[in-house]
Amino acid sequence: MTVGIVRFPGSNCDFDVLKFFQRFGHKAEFIWYRETKIKNYDLLVLPGGFAFGDRVYKKATGKYVIDPGEQALKSPVMKAVFQAAKGGKPILGICNGFKILVKAGLLPGKIGQNKSRMFVCNWTDCQVKEAFFGDKTLVGKTFKIPVAHGYGRYQLGDRDYQQLKKNSQIFLEYKNFNPNGSFKNVAGVSNYEKNIFGMMPHPERTTDGKYFMRAIEKYVQQN
């Protein structure tokens, strides 16, 4: 499997993701944020980190606002990401990458600051509620996966939540401990077509990530 990992200034989980895929024998490489044309990868991954520091600076001043994903969204490489999404290419966003995909409108909902207003770095139990990249064997299983974010609270209205549930788009939920106040414990969602997935926890930082890896491998082989 060939994997393109999109890097933005401030990405700090890029090497974690690179080594994660290489550990399973896949050819993974970085894609710099200034690129406008990319190879025909089997999978695109937007890793965690703080793209552009999650900050948007005002011109001629040192003042800024925290707006995760805003700067990344304006990056040249996003044109290629949008094209890949339009073509049905499988895409995975982890933590900050999840925020960027949501900000881009490629995944539903909004992601805001943790309810505690504090950065959370901890292990969480996460239960797979729906198929991940089509793999139904994971449904019902619980994995201990680390989280590390200050802005990870998934937000949407109850009506939209019910629609996502109906469409089987909420594939991952926090169990026992919700680290950010995410609505209904949502930890990961997909798009309607089930080729784009975003999750706040970091599967690449745990041996349990192999189960998610196998699901991606099966999806790529079958598509």
Side-chain angles (χ1 to χ4, degrees), residues 49-77:
F50 299 87
F52 295 91
D54 282 348
R55 302 180 180 190
V56 179
Y57 286 89
K58 296 183 179 180
K59 292 182 179 180
T61 72
K63 296 183 178 180
Y64 62 86
V65 294
I66 299 294
D67 195 347
E70 179 63 26
Q71 292 281 70
L73 194 60
K74 298 177 181 178
S75 299
V77 75

Side-chain angles (χ1 to χ4, degrees), residues 134-201:
D135 191 344
K136 295 181 180 179
T137 64
L138 296 180
V139 177
K141 293 184 178 180
T142 299
F143 301 98
K144 189 173 288 293
I145 314 176
V147 293
H149 56 257
Y151 282 70
R153 181 163 58 99
Y154 189 77
Q155 302 169 292
L156 78 171
D158 189 66
R159 179 178 295 182
D160 291 333
Y161 171 81
Q162 294 301 330
Q163 189 64 43
L164 293 188
K165 290 283 285 186
K166 181 179 179 180
N167 296 335
S168 302
Q169 290 176 250
I170 300 174
F171 75 92
L172 194 68
E173 293 181 358
Y174 300 113
K175 188 177 180 181
N176 302 320
F177 169 58
N178 184 331
N180 48 48
S182 178
F183 186 76
K184 298 289 187 179
N185 300 315
V186 175
V189 302
S190 72
N191 64 338
Y192 182 81
E193 294 77 12
K194 309 296 194 307
N195 67 297
I196 303 176
F197 285 75
M199 56 192 299
M200 196 52 59

Side-chain angles (χ1 to χ4, degrees), residues 99-111:
K99 301 173 196 175
I100 294 170
L101 292 177
V102 169
K103 191 82 172 179
L106 295 176
L107 288 176
K110 295 181 179 180
I111 297 179

